[in-house]
Amino acid sequence: MKIYTKTGDEGITSLLGGIRVPKSDLRIDAYGTVDELNSYVGLLRDQEVNKERGVILKEIQDRLFTIGADLATSPGKDKVKKPDLHESDIDLLEKEMDQMEEQLPPLTAFILPGGHQSVSFCHLARTVCRRTERLVVELASYEEVNQLVMKYLNRLSDYFFVLGRKMAQELEVEEVTWRPRVEGK
């Protein structure tokens, strides 16, 4: 099978189920951003500090492929065979966050991204996840979207925030907190 098909040369592509849409379609933008997010998760998985978290990060990548397939499916094409997202996938993220938060100091201020390259990669994943979520929410205002997809993306961005904090702790990097400038003080 060749990678290139030339069928998209005119700016049109196919959804699963056969409907052809412009490559600028919101659905394409949404699942393309899921793909971008998945690349950032791969980058996170490659960080030495996340060596012990490789399994969970691979699981997240698998679920992002599931979400991509869901978003790439034409609305109403229920007979298209694709993987499923489950409530237990969200439960797993919550369990992982709870375990990490037990070992973290309480959050008392907003945290600025940065402090270490690996932590910055995590913040990039978090912000791309938030953008993905916004695109999916916008898509849902026009056509049907699996509610678990939105819920998973929301929880996943929270997971990346907590993971960034945990990575900073493990790397012995001080979290940089935001100190708002207040006029006259």
Side-chain angles (χ1 to χ4, degrees), residues 22 24-31 135-136 138-142:
S24 61
D25 188 273
L26 184 56
R27 185 168 286 278
I28 305 302
D29 197 13
Y31 78 70
L135 287 168
V136 170
E138 183 180 3
L139 178 63
S141 70
Y142 297 107

Side-chain angles (χ1 to χ4, degrees), residues 100-166:
M100 287 187 287
E101 284 188 317
E102 286 175 4
Q103 302 166 14
L104 290 169
L107 190 61
T108 58
F110 287 107
I111 296 172
L112 297 176
H116 188 282
Q117 187 176 43
S118 295
V119 175
S120 294
F121 290 149
C122 196
H123 283 287
L124 284 168
R126 176 184 57 79
T127 58
V128 172
C129 189
R130 285 286 189 214
R131 178 164 33 99
T132 304
E133 181 185 13
R134 289 189 304 270
L135 287 168
V136 170
V137 167
E138 183 180 3
L139 178 63
S141 70
Y142 297 107
E143 51 193 62
E144 187 177 333
V145 172
N146 180 346
Q147 292 296 304
L148 281 179
V149 167
M150 289 191 288
K151 190 173 179 181
Y152 186 87
L153 291 170
N154 181 269
R155 209 66 84 251
L156 184 58
S157 62
D158 294 336
Y159 170 83
F160 288 134
F161 178 77
V162 176
L163 177 59
R165 293 194 70 214
K166 184 64 179 155

Side-chain angles (χ1 to χ4, degrees), residues 39-72:
S39 295
Y40 277 107
V41 178
L43 184 61
L44 277 177
R45 194 165 49 92
D46 291 341
Q47 300 305 299
E48 185 64 31
V49 69
N50 288 325
K51 186 176 174 185
E52 300 298 317
R53 283 183 278 272
V55 172
I56 182 69
L57 291 170
K58 165 78 168 50
E59 176 75 17
I60 289 168
Q61 287 187 291
D62 289 345
R63 294 301 68 77
L64 289 173
F65 256 86
T66 297
I67 289 170
D70 193 281
L71 293 171

Side-chain angles (χ1 to χ4, degrees), residues 19 33 52 84 87 90-91 136 168:
I19 295 175
T33 308
E52 300 298 317
D84 291 332
E87 191 71 40
I90 296 160
D91 294 340
V136 170

